[in-house]
């Protein structure tokens, strides 16, 4: 799959993730049990597609979250692109072959994203410490679902040929 | 090797550029809420058909689930009664759903009659995907007359205000969001302050002077002085109050009257001139003195 076609599929997936997270999961689960699936998707893209199109998809994923909240544009897109940038930089040094290592990477990414969003939102809404337990549980839930979701995302976004090439970028998905 | 370094440089450059754009967007959208409203409305419109279908189907799924739970108990007692019981349960659930909906609509109608409010009933079709912003999406929009700034209530009390509106959907900022502000008074003592959001199911009441008498359990209502929310709608009850702390104002926690997690239908308030919008047009705020008219619009608009 070429980069832009992959980006197209990722954008459709991002819209689907937004629907699942904002409608389906919120109907069934209390807030503290809902993972941040968009961060899982961005982490996957960062570990598997270190290209300009990947960066644009990560930015778009964040922008979708911003547009969904309807309050400010930018905090989530900044968080997602920052996660993408950091993970693609560290990609060669990350050996996320086990489910546990992958879960740790996703939970750290989720916490980092929350920190960035929190910092940017606090400029306009003031500090709100009560959300911290929710952020921690969100990171935990995201970590728990990532070993299940990564193989599914790999099937959608990484072709067999690419997967056969080996290298760290595809090892991440083999959990 | 060289191409790998080049690619890494390109990706790092693109990431840096996009990060800068994000920061710029944050600052720009804080001063230009219309930009967020248009974009947010477009996304809500895009997702709303699926959200509506999901909400419609959810009642059915919930019914099937409840039915399953009920039948499980009956099965242990008698296998023979299972099919009959299941059919009766299905019927019962349908009736319960209808009764529940009827009760909700009656409550909204009662609220409308008691408080002389008029407006439109809307169904909740989605929530914010992240934990950071307390907002939800309803299935009514500008084609139904909904405009930005309109107050949203439920039969139990105040829900929030419209922050973005598209033709068939609108975004509601809940009163529990830290960016929300409501001018509130205590029903008995008439102590006054600004109710701000403090997380998923809590509010805090700010700028209440220490001399004002505030007791746990007191009911807080909207004062109607902010030009957005109608007067006399229940916001919540005082959960905790600390008048002994240092400073000019008391530290007060409010438990909202509305259970936002199980919100299904809301009521978007219509103004006396027929527009489903803020009680008084927002642009008239500037004509009223700051003391009488505190700014309770979402805080991001303060800079605009």
């Amino acid at each position: 799959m070429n980069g832009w076609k992959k980006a197209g599929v990722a954008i459709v997936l991002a819209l689907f993730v937004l629907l699942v997270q904002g409608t389906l999961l919120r109907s069934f689960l209390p807030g503290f049990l809902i993972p941040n699936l968009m961060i899982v998707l961005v982490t996957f893209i960062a570990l598997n597609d270190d290209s300009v199109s990947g960066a644009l998809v990560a930015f778009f994923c964040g922008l979708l979250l911003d547009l969904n909240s309807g309050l400010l544009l930018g905090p989530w897109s900044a968080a997602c692109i920052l996660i993408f940038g950091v993970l693609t930089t560290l990609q060669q040094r990350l050996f996320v072959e086990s489910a546990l290592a992958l879960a740790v990477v996703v939970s750290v990414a989720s916490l980092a994203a929350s920190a960035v969003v929190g910092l940017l939102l606090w400029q306009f809404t003031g500090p709100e410490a009560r959300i911290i337990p929710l952020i921690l549980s969100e990171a935990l839930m995201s970590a728990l679902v990532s070993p299940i979701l990564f193989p599914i995302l790999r099937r959608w976004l990484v072709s067999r040929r690419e997967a056969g090439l080996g290298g760290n970028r595809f090892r991440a998905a083999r959990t | 090797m060289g191409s790998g370094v080049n690619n890494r440089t390109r990706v790092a450059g693109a990431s840096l550029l996009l990060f800068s754009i994000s920061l710029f967007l944050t600052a720009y959208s804080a001063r230009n809420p219309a930009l967020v409203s248009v974009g947010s409305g477009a996304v809500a419109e895009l997702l709303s058909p699926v959200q509506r279908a999901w909400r419609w189907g959810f009642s059915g799924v919930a019914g099937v689930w409840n039915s399953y739970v009920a039948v499980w108990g009956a099965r242990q007692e008698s296998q023979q009664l299972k099919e009959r019981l299941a059919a009766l349960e299905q019927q019962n659930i349908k009736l319960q759903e209808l009764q529940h909906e009827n009760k909700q609509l009656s409550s909204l109608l009662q609220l409308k009659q008691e408080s002389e409010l008029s407006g439109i009933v809307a169904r909740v079709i989605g929530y914010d995907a992240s934990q950071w912003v307390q907002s939800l999406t309803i299935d009514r929009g500008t084609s139904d007359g909904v405009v930005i700034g309109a107050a949203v209530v439920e039969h139990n009390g105040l829900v929030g205000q419209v922050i973005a509106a598209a033709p068939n959907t609108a975004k509601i900022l809940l009163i529990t969001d830290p960016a929300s502000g409501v001018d509130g008074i205590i029903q008995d003592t008439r102590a006054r302050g600004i109710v701000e959001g403090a997380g998923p199911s809590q509010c805090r009441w700010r700028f209440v002077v220490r001399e004002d008498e505030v007791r746990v359990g007191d009911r807080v209502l909207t004062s109607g002085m902010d030009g957005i929310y109608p007067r006399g709608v229940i916001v919540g009850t005082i959960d905790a109050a600390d008048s002994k702390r240092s400073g000019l104002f008391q530290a007060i926690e409010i438990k909202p009257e509305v259970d936002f997690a199980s919100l299904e239908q809301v009521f978007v308030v219509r103004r006396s001139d027929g527009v489903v919008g803020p009680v008084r047009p927002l642009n008239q705020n500037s004509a009223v003195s700051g003391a009488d008219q505190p700014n309770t619009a979402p805080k991001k608009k303060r800079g605009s």
Side-chain angles (χ1 to χ4, degrees), chain B residues 65-106:
Chain B
W65 172 251
N66 290 339
S67 168
Y68 175 75
V69 172
V71 168
W72 183 254
R75 185 191 284 174
Q76 288 177 325
E77 290 175 20
S78 167
Q79 187 66 32
Q80 288 179 330
L81 289 173
K82 182 186 161 190
E83 284 181 16
R84 195 176 163 201
L85 185 65
L88 287 171
E89 279 293 329
Q90 283 286 4
Q91 270 186 347
N92 192 27
I93 282 154
K94 275 181 192 165
L95 285 170
Q96 277 177 355
E97 279 295 312
L98 283 171
Q99 192 184 21
H100 181 65
E101 196 171 328
N102 189 18
K103 198 175 159 188
Q104 277 191 329
L105 289 169
S106 301

Side-chain angles (χ1 to χ4, degrees), chain A residues 21 23 31 67-68 71 130, chain B residues 40 54 129 131 171 202 300:
Chain A
Q21 210 168 300
T23 309
L67 288 169
N68 181 248
L71 196 60
R130 260 175 252 205
Chain B
S40 180
W54 165 250
Q131 309 278 12
K171 284 263 169 208
Q202 199 75 18
K300 61 172 182 164

